PDB file of all heavy atoms in Angstrom:
ATOM      1  N   ARG A 220      -2.029  -1.891   5.189  1.00  0.00           N
ATOM      2  CA  ARG A 220      -1.610  -2.947   6.137  1.00  0.00           C
ATOM      3  C   ARG A 220      -2.604  -3.089   7.263  1.00  0.00           C
ATOM      4  O   ARG A 220      -2.789  -4.196   7.807  1.00  0.00           O
ATOM      5  CB  ARG A 220      -0.198  -2.681   6.652  1.00  0.00           C
ATOM      6  CG  ARG A 220       0.810  -2.860   5.499  1.00  0.00           C
ATOM      7  CD  ARG A 220       2.235  -2.740   5.853  1.00  0.00           C
ATOM      8  NE  ARG A 220       3.043  -3.073   4.686  1.00  0.00           N
ATOM      9  CZ  ARG A 220       4.309  -2.815   4.578  1.00  0.00           C
ATOM     10  NH1 ARG A 220       4.968  -2.232   5.571  1.00  0.00           N
ATOM     11  NH2 ARG A 220       4.982  -3.131   3.469  1.00  0.00           N
ATOM     12  N   LEU A 221      -3.286  -1.997   7.630  1.00  0.00           N
ATOM     13  CA  LEU A 221      -4.348  -2.084   8.632  1.00  0.00           C
ATOM     14  C   LEU A 221      -5.444  -3.043   8.149  1.00  0.00           C
ATOM     15  O   LEU A 221      -5.996  -3.801   8.957  1.00  0.00           O
ATOM     16  CB  LEU A 221      -4.936  -0.691   8.870  1.00  0.00           C
ATOM     17  CG  LEU A 221      -6.171  -0.640   9.787  1.00  0.00           C
ATOM     18  CD1 LEU A 221      -5.822  -1.041  11.211  1.00  0.00           C
ATOM     19  CD2 LEU A 221      -6.802   0.755   9.743  1.00  0.00           C
ATOM     20  N   HIS A 222      -5.711  -3.029   6.848  1.00  0.00           N
ATOM     21  CA  HIS A 222      -6.823  -3.843   6.286  1.00  0.00           C
ATOM     22  C   HIS A 222      -6.334  -5.122   5.627  1.00  0.00           C
ATOM     23  O   HIS A 222      -7.110  -5.740   4.874  1.00  0.00           O
ATOM     24  CB  HIS A 222      -7.627  -3.020   5.285  1.00  0.00           C
ATOM     25  CG  HIS A 222      -8.369  -1.861   5.947  1.00  0.00           C
ATOM     26  ND1 HIS A 222      -9.368  -2.052   6.861  1.00  0.00           N
ATOM     27  CD2 HIS A 222      -8.263  -0.496   5.789  1.00  0.00           C
ATOM     28  CE1 HIS A 222      -9.843  -0.877   7.273  1.00  0.00           C
ATOM     29  NE2 HIS A 222      -9.184   0.070   6.632  1.00  0.00           N
ATOM     30  N   GLY A 223      -5.093  -5.530   5.873  1.00  0.00           N
ATOM     31  CA  GLY A 223      -4.637  -6.856   5.415  1.00  0.00           C
ATOM     32  C   GLY A 223      -4.040  -6.913   4.042  1.00  0.00           C
ATOM     33  O   GLY A 223      -3.904  -8.007   3.501  1.00  0.00           O
ATOM     34  N   CYS A 224      -3.695  -5.793   3.472  1.00  0.00           N
ATOM     35  CA  CYS A 224      -3.030  -5.758   2.165  1.00  0.00           C
ATOM     36  C   CYS A 224      -1.577  -5.389   2.273  1.00  0.00           C
ATOM     37  O   CYS A 224      -1.213  -4.607   3.161  1.00  0.00           O
ATOM     38  CB  CYS A 224      -3.751  -4.770   1.211  1.00  0.00           C
ATOM     39  SG  CYS A 224      -5.334  -5.349   0.614  1.00  0.00           S
ATOM     40  N   PRO A 225      -0.715  -5.898   1.412  1.00  0.00           N
ATOM     41  CA  PRO A 225       0.706  -5.631   1.541  1.00  0.00           C
ATOM     42  C   PRO A 225       1.147  -4.249   1.124  1.00  0.00           C
ATOM     43  O   PRO A 225       2.174  -3.761   1.562  1.00  0.00           O
ATOM     44  CB  PRO A 225       1.370  -6.681   0.651  1.00  0.00           C
ATOM     45  CG  PRO A 225       0.345  -7.037  -0.352  1.00  0.00           C
ATOM     46  CD  PRO A 225      -1.007  -6.899   0.348  1.00  0.00           C
ATOM     47  N   ASN A 226       0.329  -3.569   0.263  1.00  0.00           N
ATOM     48  CA  ASN A 226       0.763  -2.276  -0.225  1.00  0.00           C
ATOM     49  C   ASN A 226      -0.459  -1.492  -0.755  1.00  0.00           C
ATOM     50  O   ASN A 226      -1.563  -1.999  -0.862  1.00  0.00           O
ATOM     51  CB  ASN A 226       1.832  -2.414  -1.329  1.00  0.00           C
ATOM     52  CG  ASN A 226       1.390  -3.378  -2.413  1.00  0.00           C
ATOM     53  OD1 ASN A 226       0.370  -3.180  -3.056  1.00  0.00           O
ATOM     54  ND2 ASN A 226       2.159  -4.431  -2.631  1.00  0.00           N
ATOM     55  N   THR A 227      -0.179  -0.250  -1.091  1.00  0.00           N
ATOM     56  CA  THR A 227      -1.246   0.665  -1.550  1.00  0.00           C
ATOM     57  C   THR A 227      -1.852   0.161  -2.844  1.00  0.00           C
ATOM     58  O   THR A 227      -3.086   0.314  -3.082  1.00  0.00           O
ATOM     59  CB  THR A 227      -0.667   2.091  -1.716  1.00  0.00           C
ATOM     60  OG1 THR A 227       0.007   2.444  -0.527  1.00  0.00           O
ATOM     61  CG2 THR A 227      -1.756   3.076  -2.020  1.00  0.00           C
ATOM     62  N   TYR A 228      -1.034  -0.361  -3.716  1.00  0.00           N
ATOM     63  CA  TYR A 228      -1.520  -0.833  -5.031  1.00  0.00           C
ATOM     64  C   TYR A 228      -2.574  -1.931  -4.857  1.00  0.00           C
ATOM     65  O   TYR A 228      -3.697  -1.793  -5.371  1.00  0.00           O
ATOM     66  CB  TYR A 228      -0.320  -1.355  -5.849  1.00  0.00           C
ATOM     67  CG  TYR A 228      -0.696  -2.220  -7.042  1.00  0.00           C
ATOM     68  CD1 TYR A 228      -1.540  -1.721  -8.030  1.00  0.00           C
ATOM     69  CD2 TYR A 228      -0.217  -3.515  -7.153  1.00  0.00           C
ATOM     70  CE1 TYR A 228      -1.857  -2.513  -9.130  1.00  0.00           C
ATOM     71  CE2 TYR A 228      -0.560  -4.296  -8.244  1.00  0.00           C
ATOM     72  CZ  TYR A 228      -1.367  -3.818  -9.208  1.00  0.00           C
ATOM     73  OH  TYR A 228      -1.706  -4.598 -10.273  1.00  0.00           O
ATOM     74  N   SER A 229      -2.230  -3.013  -4.169  1.00  0.00           N
ATOM     75  CA  SER A 229      -3.171  -4.119  -4.049  1.00  0.00           C
ATOM     76  C   SER A 229      -4.391  -3.727  -3.235  1.00  0.00           C
ATOM     77  O   SER A 229      -5.520  -4.183  -3.497  1.00  0.00           O
ATOM     78  CB  SER A 229      -2.504  -5.358  -3.429  1.00  0.00           C
ATOM     79  OG  SER A 229      -2.031  -5.068  -2.133  1.00  0.00           O
ATOM     80  N   PHE A 230      -4.222  -2.797  -2.279  1.00  0.00           N
ATOM     81  CA  PHE A 230      -5.338  -2.324  -1.448  1.00  0.00           C
ATOM     82  C   PHE A 230      -6.338  -1.546  -2.287  1.00  0.00           C
ATOM     83  O   PHE A 230      -7.556  -1.819  -2.240  1.00  0.00           O
ATOM     84  CB  PHE A 230      -4.762  -1.436  -0.319  1.00  0.00           C
ATOM     85  CG  PHE A 230      -5.804  -0.922   0.641  1.00  0.00           C
ATOM     86  CD1 PHE A 230      -6.843  -1.721   1.117  1.00  0.00           C
ATOM     87  CD2 PHE A 230      -5.724   0.360   1.138  1.00  0.00           C
ATOM     88  CE1 PHE A 230      -7.777  -1.242   2.022  1.00  0.00           C
ATOM     89  CE2 PHE A 230      -6.638   0.865   2.028  1.00  0.00           C
ATOM     90  CZ  PHE A 230      -7.691   0.077   2.460  1.00  0.00           C
ATOM     91  N   THR A 231      -5.858  -0.614  -3.073  1.00  0.00           N
ATOM     92  CA  THR A 231      -6.789   0.195  -3.897  1.00  0.00           C
ATOM     93  C   THR A 231      -7.363  -0.600  -5.042  1.00  0.00           C
ATOM     94  O   THR A 231      -8.492  -0.318  -5.487  1.00  0.00           O
ATOM     95  CB  THR A 231      -6.109   1.468  -4.395  1.00  0.00           C
ATOM     96  OG1 THR A 231      -4.864   1.148  -5.043  1.00  0.00           O
ATOM     97  CG2 THR A 231      -5.816   2.418  -3.239  1.00  0.00           C
ATOM     98  N   LYS A 232      -6.633  -1.620  -5.543  1.00  0.00           N
ATOM     99  CA  LYS A 232      -7.221  -2.506  -6.564  1.00  0.00           C
ATOM    100  C   LYS A 232      -8.345  -3.321  -5.939  1.00  0.00           C
ATOM    101  O   LYS A 232      -9.361  -3.605  -6.592  1.00  0.00           O
ATOM    102  CB  LYS A 232      -6.151  -3.423  -7.143  1.00  0.00           C
ATOM    103  CG  LYS A 232      -5.174  -2.722  -8.095  1.00  0.00           C
ATOM    104  CD  LYS A 232      -5.850  -2.182  -9.351  1.00  0.00           C
ATOM    105  CE  LYS A 232      -6.143  -3.279 -10.356  1.00  0.00           C
ATOM    106  NZ  LYS A 232      -6.732  -2.722 -11.630  1.00  0.00           N
ATOM    107  N   ALA A 233      -8.189  -3.715  -4.689  1.00  0.00           N
ATOM    108  CA  ALA A 233      -9.251  -4.433  -3.971  1.00  0.00           C
ATOM    109  C   ALA A 233     -10.491  -3.553  -3.823  1.00  0.00           C
ATOM    110  O   ALA A 233     -11.645  -3.994  -4.034  1.00  0.00           O
ATOM    111  CB  ALA A 233      -8.763  -4.912  -2.592  1.00  0.00           C
ATOM    112  N   MET A 234     -10.273  -2.286  -3.507  1.00  0.00           N
ATOM    113  CA  MET A 234     -11.388  -1.321  -3.431  1.00  0.00           C
ATOM    114  C   MET A 234     -12.125  -1.261  -4.780  1.00  0.00           C
ATOM    115  O   MET A 234     -13.344  -1.277  -4.825  1.00  0.00           O
ATOM    116  CB  MET A 234     -10.840   0.065  -3.093  1.00  0.00           C
ATOM    117  CG  MET A 234     -10.381   0.297  -1.694  1.00  0.00           C
ATOM    118  SD  MET A 234     -10.003   2.067  -1.541  1.00  0.00           S
ATOM    119  CE  MET A 234      -8.969   2.053  -0.083  1.00  0.00           C
ATOM    120  N   GLY A 235     -11.334  -1.151  -5.846  1.00  0.00           N
ATOM    121  CA  GLY A 235     -11.931  -1.067  -7.173  1.00  0.00           C
ATOM    122  C   GLY A 235     -12.763  -2.276  -7.505  1.00  0.00           C
ATOM    123  O   GLY A 235     -13.894  -2.145  -8.027  1.00  0.00           O
ATOM    124  N   GLU A 236     -12.277  -3.451  -7.166  1.00  0.00           N
ATOM    125  CA  GLU A 236     -13.031  -4.662  -7.427  1.00  0.00           C
ATOM    126  C   GLU A 236     -14.330  -4.695  -6.589  1.00  0.00           C
ATOM    127  O   GLU A 236     -15.377  -5.121  -7.108  1.00  0.00           O
ATOM    128  CB  GLU A 236     -12.175  -5.891  -7.089  1.00  0.00           C
ATOM    129  CG  GLU A 236     -12.845  -7.211  -7.483  1.00  0.00           C
ATOM    130  CD  GLU A 236     -11.965  -8.415  -7.271  1.00  0.00           C
ATOM    131  OE1 GLU A 236     -10.743  -8.332  -7.480  1.00  0.00           O
ATOM    132  OE2 GLU A 236     -12.516  -9.470  -6.873  1.00  0.00           O
ATOM    133  N   MET A 237     -14.274  -4.244  -5.342  1.00  0.00           N
ATOM    134  CA  MET A 237     -15.433  -4.198  -4.497  1.00  0.00           C
ATOM    135  C   MET A 237     -16.484  -3.236  -5.092  1.00  0.00           C
ATOM    136  O   MET A 237     -17.686  -3.542  -5.139  1.00  0.00           O
ATOM    137  CB  MET A 237     -15.085  -3.710  -3.105  1.00  0.00           C
ATOM    138  CG  MET A 237     -14.284  -4.708  -2.297  1.00  0.00           C
ATOM    139  SD  MET A 237     -13.815  -3.976  -0.704  1.00  0.00           S
ATOM    140  CE  MET A 237     -12.705  -5.246  -0.068  1.00  0.00           C
ATOM    141  N   LEU A 238     -16.052  -2.072  -5.550  1.00  0.00           N
ATOM    142  CA  LEU A 238     -16.973  -1.102  -6.113  1.00  0.00           C
ATOM    143  C   LEU A 238     -17.643  -1.656  -7.381  1.00  0.00           C
ATOM    144  O   LEU A 238     -18.826  -1.436  -7.580  1.00  0.00           O
ATOM    145  CB  LEU A 238     -16.213   0.188  -6.417  1.00  0.00           C
ATOM    146  CG  LEU A 238     -15.820   1.043  -5.217  1.00  0.00           C
ATOM    147  CD1 LEU A 238     -14.834   2.119  -5.622  1.00  0.00           C
ATOM    148  CD2 LEU A 238     -17.047   1.660  -4.556  1.00  0.00           C
ATOM    149  N   LEU A 239     -16.880  -2.323  -8.222  1.00  0.00           N
ATOM    150  CA  LEU A 239     -17.454  -2.946  -9.411  1.00  0.00           C
ATOM    151  C   LEU A 239     -18.547  -3.927  -9.060  1.00  0.00           C
ATOM    152  O   LEU A 239     -19.650  -3.903  -9.624  1.00  0.00           O
ATOM    153  CB  LEU A 239     -16.378  -3.671 -10.213  1.00  0.00           C
ATOM    154  CG  LEU A 239     -15.394  -2.794 -11.030  1.00  0.00           C
ATOM    155  CD1 LEU A 239     -14.302  -3.690 -11.609  1.00  0.00           C
ATOM    156  CD2 LEU A 239     -16.111  -2.092 -12.148  1.00  0.00           C
ATOM    157  N   GLY A 240     -18.229  -4.833  -8.124  1.00  0.00           N
ATOM    158  CA  GLY A 240     -19.204  -5.840  -7.738  1.00  0.00           C
ATOM    159  C   GLY A 240     -20.441  -5.250  -7.101  1.00  0.00           C
ATOM    160  O   GLY A 240     -21.565  -5.751  -7.293  1.00  0.00           O
ATOM    161  N   HIS A 241     -20.255  -4.189  -6.327  1.00  0.00           N
ATOM    162  CA  HIS A 241     -21.373  -3.604  -5.559  1.00  0.00           C
ATOM    163  C   HIS A 241     -22.334  -2.813  -6.444  1.00  0.00           C
ATOM    164  O   HIS A 241     -23.542  -2.811  -6.207  1.00  0.00           O
ATOM    165  CB  HIS A 241     -20.792  -2.718  -4.448  1.00  0.00           C
ATOM    166  CG  HIS A 241     -21.814  -2.230  -3.473  1.00  0.00           C
ATOM    167  ND1 HIS A 241     -22.476  -3.072  -2.603  1.00  0.00           N
ATOM    168  CD2 HIS A 241     -22.298  -0.983  -3.253  1.00  0.00           C
ATOM    169  CE1 HIS A 241     -23.298  -2.354  -1.879  1.00  0.00           C
ATOM    170  NE2 HIS A 241     -23.217  -1.082  -2.241  1.00  0.00           N
ATOM    171  N   PHE A 242     -21.785  -2.144  -7.483  1.00  0.00           N
ATOM    172  CA  PHE A 242     -22.616  -1.226  -8.250  1.00  0.00           C
ATOM    173  C   PHE A 242     -22.912  -1.717  -9.671  1.00  0.00           C
ATOM    174  O   PHE A 242     -23.505  -1.006 -10.443  1.00  0.00           O
ATOM    175  CB  PHE A 242     -21.924   0.141  -8.349  1.00  0.00           C
ATOM    176  CG  PHE A 242     -21.896   0.880  -7.038  1.00  0.00           C
ATOM    177  CD1 PHE A 242     -20.757   0.934  -6.278  1.00  0.00           C
ATOM    178  CD2 PHE A 242     -23.046   1.510  -6.555  1.00  0.00           C
ATOM    179  CE1 PHE A 242     -20.732   1.619  -5.046  1.00  0.00           C
ATOM    180  CE2 PHE A 242     -23.032   2.184  -5.360  1.00  0.00           C
ATOM    181  CZ  PHE A 242     -21.875   2.234  -4.597  1.00  0.00           C
ATOM    182  N   LYS A 243     -22.549  -2.920  -9.999  1.00  0.00           N
ATOM    183  CA  LYS A 243     -22.687  -3.409 -11.379  1.00  0.00           C
ATOM    184  C   LYS A 243     -24.130  -3.668 -11.803  1.00  0.00           C
ATOM    185  O   LYS A 243     -24.463  -3.716 -12.991  1.00  0.00           O
ATOM    186  CB  LYS A 243     -21.862  -4.691 -11.564  1.00  0.00           C
ATOM    187  CG  LYS A 243     -22.509  -5.929 -10.997  1.00  0.00           C
ATOM    188  CD  LYS A 243     -21.689  -7.149 -11.255  1.00  0.00           C
ATOM    189  CE  LYS A 243     -22.398  -8.427 -10.837  1.00  0.00           C
ATOM    190  NZ  LYS A 243     -23.565  -8.718 -11.715  1.00  0.00           N
ATOM    191  N   GLU A 244     -25.009  -3.889 -10.837  1.00  0.00           N
ATOM    192  CA  GLU A 244     -26.411  -4.242 -11.087  1.00  0.00           C
ATOM    193  C   GLU A 244     -26.468  -5.506 -11.927  1.00  0.00           C
ATOM    194  O   GLU A 244     -25.949  -6.544 -11.536  1.00  0.00           O
ATOM    195  CB  GLU A 244     -27.136  -3.035 -11.731  1.00  0.00           C
ATOM    196  CG  GLU A 244     -27.207  -1.857 -10.806  1.00  0.00           C
ATOM    197  CD  GLU A 244     -27.900  -0.654 -11.393  1.00  0.00           C
ATOM    198  OE1 GLU A 244     -28.318  -0.711 -12.576  1.00  0.00           O
ATOM    199  OE2 GLU A 244     -27.976   0.395 -10.709  1.00  0.00           O
ATOM    200  N   ASP A 245     -27.035  -5.471 -13.137  1.00  0.00           N
ATOM    201  CA  ASP A 245     -27.193  -6.705 -13.922  1.00  0.00           C
ATOM    202  C   ASP A 245     -26.145  -6.872 -14.993  1.00  0.00           C
ATOM    203  O   ASP A 245     -26.286  -7.669 -15.935  1.00  0.00           O
ATOM    204  CB  ASP A 245     -28.590  -6.791 -14.538  1.00  0.00           C
ATOM    205  CG  ASP A 245     -28.858  -5.642 -15.513  1.00  0.00           C
ATOM    206  OD1 ASP A 245     -28.063  -4.684 -15.530  1.00  0.00           O
ATOM    207  OD2 ASP A 245     -29.875  -5.658 -16.227  1.00  0.00           O
ATOM    208  N   LEU A 246     -25.041  -6.137 -14.886  1.00  0.00           N
ATOM    209  CA  LEU A 246     -23.934  -6.275 -15.834  1.00  0.00           C
ATOM    210  C   LEU A 246     -23.281  -7.633 -15.741  1.00  0.00           C
ATOM    211  O   LEU A 246     -23.142  -8.192 -14.649  1.00  0.00           O
ATOM    212  CB  LEU A 246     -22.866  -5.202 -15.599  1.00  0.00           C
ATOM    213  CG  LEU A 246     -23.134  -3.774 -16.085  1.00  0.00           C
ATOM    214  CD1 LEU A 246     -21.982  -2.903 -15.630  1.00  0.00           C
ATOM    215  CD2 LEU A 246     -23.278  -3.736 -17.605  1.00  0.00           C
ATOM    216  N   ARG A 247     -22.856  -8.188 -16.871  1.00  0.00           N
ATOM    217  CA  ARG A 247     -22.001  -9.359 -16.899  1.00  0.00           C
ATOM    218  C   ARG A 247     -20.562  -8.876 -16.522  1.00  0.00           C
ATOM    219  O   ARG A 247     -19.952  -8.125 -17.263  1.00  0.00           O
ATOM    220  CB  ARG A 247     -21.981 -10.020 -18.253  1.00  0.00           C
ATOM    221  CG  ARG A 247     -20.810 -10.872 -18.577  1.00  0.00           C
ATOM    222  CD  ARG A 247     -20.687 -12.118 -17.706  1.00  0.00           C
ATOM    223  NE  ARG A 247     -21.425 -13.242 -18.272  1.00  0.00           N
ATOM    224  CZ  ARG A 247     -21.496 -14.403 -17.668  1.00  0.00           C
ATOM    225  NH1 ARG A 247     -20.962 -14.586 -16.488  1.00  0.00           N
ATOM    226  NH2 ARG A 247     -22.181 -15.393 -18.251  1.00  0.00           N
ATOM    227  N   LEU A 248     -20.078  -9.304 -15.371  1.00  0.00           N
ATOM    228  CA  LEU A 248     -18.766  -8.895 -14.873  1.00  0.00           C
ATOM    229  C   LEU A 248     -17.834 -10.083 -14.775  1.00  0.00           C
ATOM    230  O   LEU A 248     -18.170 -11.099 -14.140  1.00  0.00           O
ATOM    231  CB  LEU A 248     -18.902  -8.230 -13.483  1.00  0.00           C
ATOM    232  CG  LEU A 248     -17.603  -7.810 -12.788  1.00  0.00           C
ATOM    233  CD1 LEU A 248     -16.851  -6.734 -13.594  1.00  0.00           C
ATOM    234  CD2 LEU A 248     -17.883  -7.271 -11.355  1.00  0.00           C
TER     235      LEU A 248
END
Side-chain angles (χ1 to χ4, degrees):
R220 292 185 175 166
L221 173 67
H222 293 297
C224 286
N226 51 59
T227 309
Y228 164 58
S229 62
F230 182 41
T231 52
K232 287 296 283 183
M234 288 186 199
E236 185 176 324
M237 289 176 188
L238 287 167
L239 284 173
H241 189 67
F242 290 103
K243 76 179 188 68
E244 296 178 0
D245 61 350
L246 283 176
R247 157 66 89 182
L248 176 62

